[in-house]
């Protein structure tokens, strides 16, 4: 048996994780000087409800290597012959580094761990963890699972729009000057995450135009889309999500059917009103 481990930035639905036996390790969100385990000590609804009013900008961090090591030991004790540990893109987080430190530590105890940089985040990472767990259920080898996940990376895109540059500035993702001008002009930033690389798609002056640009970018994959998933942070209206659904549903299935409220670990940097589309191509 191969055990699949991922982190809470994967946005794997709890019911799916339980059904497939995926171990989801909570990452850390620090709010007003207090550290919370994502999804354990702090729910998404609680986080987003107070996000605009926090006295200090929320900080995020990977769980400690010890948390990963304990998960790997628990997998071995439960009968796993090896672990595949799949995590948020190394280019945006230190989670893979923590996992690799833990893997090196438990290797001395005879525990085999393959750490995989997903090159993605949210459900783009989640899809890889789910695919790996499905293969593990069917008895696939560690090498076969790792190879399949590596091949899957090139088929995943995350398209997203930040409704404000304020949170990206506070998190150090854009400069204060750029963010200041952007906030003054009400600029919305559109980005794409592909195989660990973040690219700017556009900057627009209105939210409606930003939504239309997201749709236009997603439509470029017409004819080779396996599925879409709609993503959002609190503050995005049902009407906005309905526009995305109406435009994309004729192109490919939207799975899961309901939009995903993304983890606070990502939402802390993106801010309220964020919208996104995860794309899995054929």
């Amino acid at each position: 048996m191969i055990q699949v481990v991922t982190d809470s930035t994967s946005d794997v639905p709890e019911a799916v994780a339980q059904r497939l036996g995926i171990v989801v390790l909570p990452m850390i969100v620090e709010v007003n000087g207090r550290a919370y385990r994502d999804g354990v000590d702090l729910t998404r609804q609680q986080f987003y409800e107070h996000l605009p009013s926090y006295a200090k900008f929320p900080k995020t961090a990977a769980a400690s290597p010890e948390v990963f090591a304990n998960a790997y030991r628990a997998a071995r004790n439960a009968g796993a012959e090896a672990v595949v540990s799949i995590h948020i893109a190394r280019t945006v987080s230190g989670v893979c580094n923590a996992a690799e430190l833990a893997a090196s530590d438990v290797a001395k105890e005879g525990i085999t761990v393959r750490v995989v940089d997903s090159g993605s985040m949210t459900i783009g990472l989640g899809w890889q963890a789910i695919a790996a767990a499905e293969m593990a259920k069917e008895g696939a080898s560690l090498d076969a699972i790792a190879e399949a996940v590596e091949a899957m990376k090139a088929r995943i895109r995350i398209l997203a729009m930040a409704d404000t540059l304020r949170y990206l500035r506070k998190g150090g993702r854009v400069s204060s000057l750029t963010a200041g001008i952007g906030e003054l002009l009400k600029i919305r930033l559109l980005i794409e995450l592909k195989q660990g690389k973040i690219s700017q798609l556009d900057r627009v002056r209105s939210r409606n135009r930003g939504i239309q640009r997201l749709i236009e970018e997603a439509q470029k994959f017409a004819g080779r889309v396996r599925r879409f998933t709609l993503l959002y942070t609190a503050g995005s209206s049902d009407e906005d999500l309905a526009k995305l659904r109406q435009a994309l549903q004729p192109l490919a299935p939207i799975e899961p059917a309901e939009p995903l409220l993304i983890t606070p670990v990502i939402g802390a940097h993106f801010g309220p009103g964020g919208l996104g589309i995860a794309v899995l191509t054929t």
Side-chain angles (χ1 to χ4, degrees):
M1 179 187 76
I2 306 298
Q3 177 66 61
V4 176
V5 175
T6 189
D7 60 77
S8 61
T9 69
S10 65
D11 287 335
V12 174
E14 184 177 356
V16 175
Q18 290 180 350
R19 174 171 59 84
L20 293 174
I22 300 170
V23 175
V24 181
L25 300 181
M27 298 300 99
I28 305 302
V29 182
E30 183 181 309
V31 177
N32 293 334
R34 179 179 174 184
Y36 298 87
R37 291 171 296 170
D38 179 25
V40 177
D41 308 313
L42 181 70
T43 69
R44 298 179 184 208
Q45 289 74 18
Q46 288 170 335
F47 173 80
Y48 284 114
E49 180 182 355
H50 301 289
L51 177 57
S53 61
Y54 288 139
K56 295 181 180 180
F57 177 72
K59 298 178 181 179
T60 61
S64 69
E66 182 180 6
V67 169
F68 288 88
N70 286 340
Y72 302 153
R73 292 184 182 109
R76 187 268 311 275
N77 294 340
E81 62 190 72
V83 175
V84 58
S85 199
I86 311 171
H87 300 291
I88 185 173
R90 188 188 302 274
T91 51
V92 299
S93 174
V95 175
C96 281
N97 292 338
E100 286 171 344
L101 286 170
S104 177
D105 189 34
V106 300
K108 302 168 188 174
E109 303 168 30
I111 303 173
T112 300
V113 179
R114 186 80 58 87
V115 177
V116 178
D117 174 358
S118 72
S120 192
M121 63 173 64
T122 183
I123 198 62
L125 160 59
W127 287 334
Q128 295 175 51
I130 291 168
E134 289 173 341
M135 291 182 68
K137 285 280 189 183
E138 295 171 359
S141 69
L142 178 61
D143 286 342
I145 292 171
E147 288 172 10
V149 171
E150 286 291 338
M152 194 176 187
K153 289 182 188 181
R155 299 165 47 213
I156 295 172
R157 307 284 190 281
I158 303 294
L159 311 173
M161 177 185 73
D163 193 57
T164 173
L165 299 184
R166 177 186 175 199
Y167 292 85
L168 291 169
R169 171 181 59 81
K170 287 185 174 182
R173 305 293 175 171
V174 298
S175 71
S176 295
L177 177 60
T178 298
I181 295 172
E183 290 175 50
L184 181 64
L185 299 177
K186 304 297 184 183
I187 295 293
R188 277 80 176 176
L189 177 68
L190 282 87
I191 62 170
E192 177 188 50
L193 175 60
K194 172 187 175 183
Q195 292 182 279
K197 181 180 180 182
I198 296 179
S199 303
Q200 179 178 303
L201 294 174
D202 207 346
R203 294 185 181 212
V204 298
R205 291 286 299 275
S206 76
R207 184 170 177 84
N208 283 339
R209 179 54 184 157
I211 293 171
Q212 185 57 40
R213 286 290 293 115
L214 278 179
I215 292 170
E216 290 169 1
E217 290 297 326
Q219 287 174 334
K220 292 179 181 180
F221 298 100
R224 53 192 182 95
V225 184
R226 183 172 176 181
R227 75 173 70 104
F228 292 115
T229 297
L230 304 184
L231 311 168
Y232 72 105
T233 63
S236 294
S237 69
D238 291 341
E239 180 182 358
D240 291 341
L241 291 163
K243 287 179 184 177
L244 292 177
R245 179 184 299 280
Q246 183 177 12
L248 301 181
Q249 204 152 29
L251 302 179
I254 295 177
E255 300 174 359
E258 293 302 315
L260 286 180
L261 179 63
I262 65 172
T263 167
V265 179
I266 298 171
H269 300 282
F270 227 62
L275 286 172
I277 303 169
V279 185
L280 178 64
T281 61
T282 55

